[in-house]
Amino acid sequence: MLGFKTLTIPALLVGLVALPIPTLAQVAAPPAVTKPKLGPDDTPALRAKKREAAKRLLTLLKPVWSDEEIGRIMYIGWYSAAAASCDDLEIDQVKLAKALETFKPADEASLSPERIKFLNDNLLMDVGMATGWAMAGHYRDVPKFCAEGRQAKTQLAADKHLFEMDTPAPAPAPKP
């Protein structure tokens, strides 16, 4: 597949919904997504540009999010990018909502509406950047990226990734 399918993430657009918050142990991180994906054919100049891009991405995220939160943003971005890039992978909206819920501040009642809007706007933008980062890091080998996504889906427990699980087709009705 050379192109990317459209990915809709309604949970991001309607805000954070009130669902049980998963523990961090419930999510398994994708392959190192915060480091630039260096290819064997990359020139030294391209490697330097990739490292600089990674540094800039982290510079944008650090003022708002902790290292742990940045890891979760990159986690969501990796799975979103795989779903956008691969026809056979889809984001499970309930799992996504649970992952986003972890960003809800514990002291939300004490925050101003402006601060809450700021955090929600940054989350939306930063998940988008993380998704773009993961897509850009894999554009040269989308089939391999899709294989990594399928491997995560099949080898990790369902509560350790953000993909929808395949539902088996219903059994045919018995013939009389």
Side-chain angles (χ1 to χ4, degrees):
M1 177 179 157
L2 296 176
F4 296 103
K5 66 183 177 187
T6 302
L7 176 66
T8 59
I9 306 178
L12 282 173
L13 301 176
V14 298
L16 300 176
V17 295
L19 292 172
I21 299 173
T23 63
L24 288 178
Q26 286 182 300
V27 294
V33 293
T34 55
K35 295 181 180 177
K37 192 165 183 83
L38 303 176
D41 299 328
D42 290 353
T43 64
L46 181 57
R47 286 174 184 248
K49 286 180 183 179
K50 286 182 177 183
R51 287 188 187 97
E52 179 62 26
K55 198 157 97 179
R56 286 177 187 237
L57 176 64
L58 290 174
T59 299
L60 290 170
L61 298 174
K62 283 274 190 188
V64 180
W65 310 109
S66 68
D67 288 348
E68 179 182 303
E69 290 167 325
I70 291 170
R72 291 194 319 252
I73 287 169
M74 299 307 290
Y75 163 87
I76 294 168
W78 188 90
Y79 284 100
S80 297
S85 304
C86 312
D87 288 334
D88 58 337
L89 298 172
E90 298 292 335
I91 292 293
D92 183 309
Q93 297 299 313
V94 173
K95 291 178 185 179
L96 176 62
K98 286 179 182 179
L100 293 171
E101 182 68 18
T102 65
F103 291 91
K104 189 173 185 175
D107 61 346
E108 184 176 31
S110 67
L111 298 177
S112 70
E114 293 80 18
R115 181 66 182 169
I116 292 170
K117 182 180 181 333
F118 171 81
L119 292 172
N120 285 336
D121 289 351
N122 271 271
L123 182 58
L124 176 61
M125 178 183 66
D126 294 343
V127 167
M129 283 193 308
T131 301
W133 172 261
M135 290 171 81
H138 294 88
Y139 83 96
R140 290 184 185 194
D141 197 349
V142 173
K144 181 179 177 190
F145 185 34
C146 294
E148 289 172 359
R150 284 189 296 279
Q151 182 178 14
K153 181 178 174 178
T154 58
Q155 292 184 357
L156 297 174
D159 64 346
K160 304 285 188 215
H161 61 76
L162 295 180
F163 295 131
E164 285 183 350
M165 294 305 295
D166 299 324
T167 54
K175 294 182 181 182

